[in-house]
Amino acid sequence: KSLDQEQREYVLDAMFEKKVQNGDRVIELGDSGDYFYVVDSGKLDCYILIGGEEKKVATYDNTGAFGELALMYGTPRAATIVATEECILWALDRTTFRQLVLVTTMKKREMYEKFLNDIPMLQELESYERMNLSDALVTTKYKSGDAIIKQGEEAEAFFIIEKGTCVVKVKDTFSSQHTNEEVEVSQLNSGEYFGELALLQQKPRAASVYALTDVDCAVLDIKAFERLLGPCLDIMSRNVANYEKQLTDLFGEVSLEDLRR
């Protein structure tokens, strides 16, 4: 995901097709790592050593990728992968993998760490926690006018604005006009974030956010949000009062819960 289009094309050109048959052991526990594999079609089982015995822990069913850990860290294979039917895989050699994928990952980490260091909320994180956060973030681009999140939808991610301006809107169901049209609540700029309240409260989105200009967002999925931003949750929770004050200024006495009805 962190590769740009040119780098993706380079990787695709460097990969080669590998056909395997039912019962073939694609990688073997303890071997040195030579290739990274992407599953095009077919099923494969993954075995690791537990209590001195190989036990199946996962299945790749026409999707997925494996073999990167041994290439990244120069360690022996940590698992055995066995085809359970005829499969088509795409393989990338160790040299290309390390030169391109690892270098790109490090550049991404450096870029995000500089950016994250300037966000006050994230000062609560230790340096290694910001590094882990950098690895989990994925840049997503939006065109002006795009809906990034919509009021009433289930929450799946948290967003930090890298570049551009977003506008926060809610439906007017509380004023004397009751137009049900969207009303602007606020605007957000680079370094600001949104989408956290629905994740914190495990409830649908209370507002919509649109790209006012072309926008780049660093996106964190819900599982990584819960795992990596624990030290910041108290700070985020304090923002509930700020959001409700903005709504009260617009509509009178209104709570976030009212917007989810």
Side-chain angles (χ1 to χ4, degrees), residues 3-260:
L3 302 181
D4 60 32
Q5 185 60 33
E6 183 179 351
Q7 291 168 325
R8 286 194 189 101
E9 290 175 359
Y10 181 82
V11 168
L12 291 173
D13 288 342
M15 298 185 89
F16 64 90
E17 185 181 284
K18 179 181 176 68
K19 293 183 178 180
V20 297
Q21 304 300 316
N22 183 17
D24 286 355
R25 299 171 80 88
V26 182
I27 66 175
E28 193 79 40
L29 179 71
D31 284 355
S32 59
D34 296 323
Y35 295 99
F36 165 68
Y37 295 96
V38 176
V39 180
D40 189 343
S41 64
K43 296 181 181 180
L44 307 98
D45 288 337
C46 174
Y47 296 84
I48 65 172
L49 206 60
I50 300 176
E53 296 182 4
E54 283 192 357
K55 295 188 178 181
K56 186 172 78 170
V57 293
T59 296
Y60 297 95
D61 187 353
N62 292 284
T63 188
F66 56 87
E68 74 279 9
L69 294 180
L71 302 188
M72 290 175 71
Y73 302 111
T75 56
R77 296 291 195 192
T80 295
I81 306 291
V82 182
T84 57
E85 63 184 36
E86 185 175 318
C87 302
I88 296 177
L89 310 176
W90 290 89
L92 182 67
D93 69 87
R94 182 212 302 262
T95 302
T96 305
F97 179 90
R98 291 187 67 87
Q99 285 178 343
L100 237 178
V101 179
L102 285 185
V103 168
T104 302
T105 298
M106 291 306 297
K107 285 182 179 178
K108 173 193 170 188
R109 178 180 289 178
E110 290 172 5
M111 177 193 74
Y112 273 132
E113 281 193 289
K114 291 176 184 177
F115 170 66
L116 297 175
N117 281 337
D118 293 331
I119 299 176
M121 175 192 71
L122 299 180
Q123 300 307 311
E124 295 290 320
L125 298 179
E126 299 291 342
S127 176
Y128 76 91
E129 291 174 318
R130 279 195 295 273
M131 181 180 70
N132 289 336
L133 179 58
S134 299
D135 291 343
L137 289 169
V138 177
T139 295
T140 304
K141 297 179 181 292
Y142 299 93
K143 294 290 186 183
S144 176
D146 284 354
I148 303 174
I149 62 175
K150 290 288 288 181
Q151 184 175 345
E153 290 182 345
E154 293 301 315
E156 296 179 349
F158 167 69
F159 303 81
I160 304 173
I161 301 172
E162 295 181 44
K163 183 173 64 176
T165 301
C166 293
V167 59
V168 182
K169 294 184 177 183
V170 297
K171 292 179 180 178
D172 178 8
T173 57
F174 306 101
S175 70
S176 56
Q177 287 79 24
H178 294 290
T179 63
N180 205 39
E181 294 181 0
E182 290 187 319
V183 178
E184 180 176 325
V185 177
S186 62
Q187 293 187 8
L188 303 171
N189 297 296
S190 177
E192 296 185 283
Y193 56 89
F194 59 91
E196 78 283 7
L197 289 185
L199 298 180
L200 287 169
Q201 300 173 343
Q202 298 182 335
K203 293 180 179 178
R205 299 290 191 192
S208 298
V209 177
Y210 298 90
L212 192 61
T213 64
D214 288 352
V215 170
D216 290 357
C217 283
V219 182
L220 189 68
D221 69 48
I222 185 170
K223 290 182 180 179
F225 175 86
E226 294 169 346
R227 176 168 51 89
L228 297 173
L229 289 182
C232 305
L233 296 186
D234 284 345
I235 296 174
M236 291 189 218
S237 296
R238 291 174 211 152
N239 284 335
V240 173
N242 295 332
Y243 293 138
E244 293 193 334
K245 182 180 184 304
Q246 291 173 341
L247 294 173
T248 299
D249 291 343
L250 278 174
F251 303 120
E253 288 300 322
V254 177
S255 71
L256 291 169
E257 200 58 43
D258 294 328
L259 298 175
R260 298 188 174 107

